[in-house]
Amino acid sequence: MKIPPGPRYDDTMEKRNKKDVQLVMKPIGALGGLDTIHVALILLAAILILLLLMVAYQKSVLLNGNITSSAATTATIRGYAPMHNESQVIKQAGRILASYNYANGYLSLLPYFSSVNNISAYYIPASREWYVKIPESIGNATGYYSFVLYDSNLSLDIAYSQLPKISKVLGNYVAAKGTIKLNGKFACGSNSSASIYWFMDPYSPGAIESLVNLTALEDKYGMSLNASLKMLSQGPTYNISERYGLGNAQMLERYLLCASAQKNASAFYSNLLSAYSGYMSPTLLSLLANSSKLDRTSLDSCLANSTVELNRQALLAQYYNITTTPIAVVDCAYLALPQTANEALCYGSPGLCGK
């Protein structure tokens, strides 16, 4: 019996089968069998996860006031939550500012030109401190001062913008622009009327010129403002006395005190400002009083008895801790410069400003 021949051997098929096997059994290689698009997607996902972890565990996070951000949760977990809130920090910054009032030179002006209504406070969890930014404006010039306070007790750590670190923080604080609230002193005015004590050593720089500010306030508020001059003998008067004698040097104080009680006081102020160039002799002061039409009988009587009143005013200055002049005490509770006295009046007696 003849056996039929089997299928014809085809070496092409063998080659094709071997090729198929090679495709199936190809090694995985460097990309793990994935194409470049899948690999890129996996890398992108890994990067996003790393970024999320970095944000979640970042320590140096700047937080504003009352912590409400997601980073606050991390800060709280790590024990970085602040002991004080934003309003407490701003109030303390106002106290620090007010303490510069007793510094030397231009620093004493710092509290009066600070825009305390626009103070910004930021908590720094990494250092447990507060960064405080304070806008400052004098005329057309504007800028910023800043403090860093310890959160533990709100004491001053650093003062920036070339400010020296204040040695002692007093109880006074800056209540509004141009207005320092005096610690332990209480307002004696009312919503619709006010008082102002105008303290001055008449020989101190700017003192005689400040009478223009006082007269403008009296004209503006009329009977609603009870204004009174308070005279002091300080360094400038004592410097004059070394050459002309203390009695002659203090005569300017006496004339101002007595003239302020008369209805023609503004005329005397104006004439004095025109004639002022330093030391004012008793003879010149007498001539100015006559040209201002002051009541001579009342003036002479006041001059003769002015020592007692001057001593009382010196004690009043000690009560308010007046160390430099000219300065105004508004409503028995607020300190202001002559240039900012109107702002202090509006703050202490807001009803005045609508008049």
Side-chain angles (χ1 to χ4, degrees):
M1 181 176 175
K2 187 178 182 179
I3 301 174
R8 182 181 176 183
Y9 177 77
D10 189 346
D11 61 347
T12 303
M13 181 179 295
E14 181 181 359
K15 292 179 180 180
R16 183 169 61 248
N17 290 338
K18 288 183 178 180
K19 185 177 182 180
D20 291 340
V21 171
Q22 288 176 352
L23 286 174
V24 173
M25 301 301 295
K26 187 177 182 180
I28 292 176
L31 298 181
L34 300 176
D35 57 28
T36 55
I37 295 178
H38 285 85
V39 171
L41 290 174
I42 292 173
L43 289 175
L44 179 60
I47 291 171
L48 290 175
I49 292 172
L50 287 174
L51 287 174
L52 289 173
L53 290 173
M54 290 175 64
V55 171
Y57 291 98
Q58 179 69 31
K59 291 184 178 180
S60 300
V61 181
L62 194 63
L63 302 175
N64 187 358
N66 297 322
I67 302 180
T68 56
S69 67
S70 59
T73 304
T74 303
T76 302
I77 293 173
R78 295 175 176 271
Y80 295 170
M83 298 173 62
H84 298 86
N85 58 40
E86 186 177 7
S87 62
Q88 291 172 325
V89 173
I90 291 175
K91 185 69 172 289
Q92 178 67 0
R95 293 190 185 98
I96 294 171
L97 278 175
S99 299
Y100 280 94
N101 178 62
Y102 300 101
N104 294 325
Y106 77 95
L107 291 175
S108 63
L109 302 178
L110 183 65
Y112 299 102
F113 296 99
S114 300
S115 300
V116 292
N117 293 335
N118 296 314
I119 290 180
S120 302
Y122 305 92
Y123 180 55
I124 310 172
S127 61
R128 281 85 155 180
E129 293 178 314
W130 287 86
Y131 174 78
V132 183
K133 185 178 180 181
I134 307 164
E136 193 84 7
S137 62
I138 302 177
N140 295 326
T142 59
Y144 292 92
Y145 293 98
S146 55
F147 302 136
V148 175
L149 310 182
Y150 293 111
D151 181 52
S152 58
N153 56 9
L154 296 186
S155 61
L156 180 61
D157 179 16
I158 303 171
Y160 289 107
S161 302
Q162 298 182 338
L163 286 179
K165 185 175 177 179
I166 201 74
S167 59
K168 184 178 181 181
V169 178
L170 305 176
N172 302 340
Y173 68 92
V174 181
K177 187 173 183 179
T179 308
I180 293 178
K181 173 65 175 67
L182 294 169
N183 184 42
K185 306 300 187 289
F186 302 96
C188 58
S190 65
N191 189 56
S192 58
S193 64
S195 69
I196 188 167
Y197 302 148
W198 206 266
F199 287 96
M200 57 186 286
D201 178 331
Y203 285 112
S204 63
I208 297 300
E209 292 81 357
S210 76
L211 293 171
V212 175
N213 302 86
L214 176 60
T215 302
L217 292 174
E218 290 179 312
D219 292 341
K220 181 177 182 178
Y221 296 117
M223 297 298 293
S224 296
L225 178 62
N226 179 20
S228 58
L229 275 180
K230 305 296 182 184
M231 310 309 301
L232 291 175
S233 292
Q234 295 182 310
T237 289
Y238 291 128
N239 291 337
I240 293 289
S241 70
E242 291 179 359
R243 180 174 181 182
Y244 299 100
L246 185 58
N248 288 332
Q250 290 181 328
M251 195 57 67
L252 179 54
E253 294 178 25
R254 298 177 189 274
Y255 266 88
L256 280 168
L257 172 67
C258 295
S260 66
Q262 298 198 24
K263 63 180 181 179
N264 287 337
S266 59
F268 180 76
Y269 300 158
S270 179
N271 290 332
L272 177 62
L273 183 58
S274 298
Y276 184 80
S277 60
Y279 170 66
M280 304 295 290
S281 68
T283 301
L284 180 55
L285 290 169
S286 180
L287 292 173
L288 291 175
N290 292 336
S291 63
S292 303
K293 296 182 170 32
L294 296 181
D295 183 281
R296 194 74 219 193
T297 302
S298 298
L299 179 65
D300 290 341
S301 175
C302 177
L303 290 172
N305 298 283
S306 58
T307 301
V308 173
E309 181 59 28
L310 288 174
N311 289 337
R312 288 174 180 170
Q313 294 182 2
L315 291 174
L316 188 64
Q318 290 180 10
Y319 174 73
Y320 288 114
N321 195 24
I322 304 300
T323 57
T324 58
T325 65
I327 202 78
V329 174
V330 174
D331 286 340
C332 307
Y334 305 99
L335 210 60
L337 295 176
Q339 297 87 341
T340 67
N342 187 67
E343 284 93 333
L345 284 167
C346 290
Y347 181 82
S349 301
L352 283 177
C353 296
K355 291 182 176 292

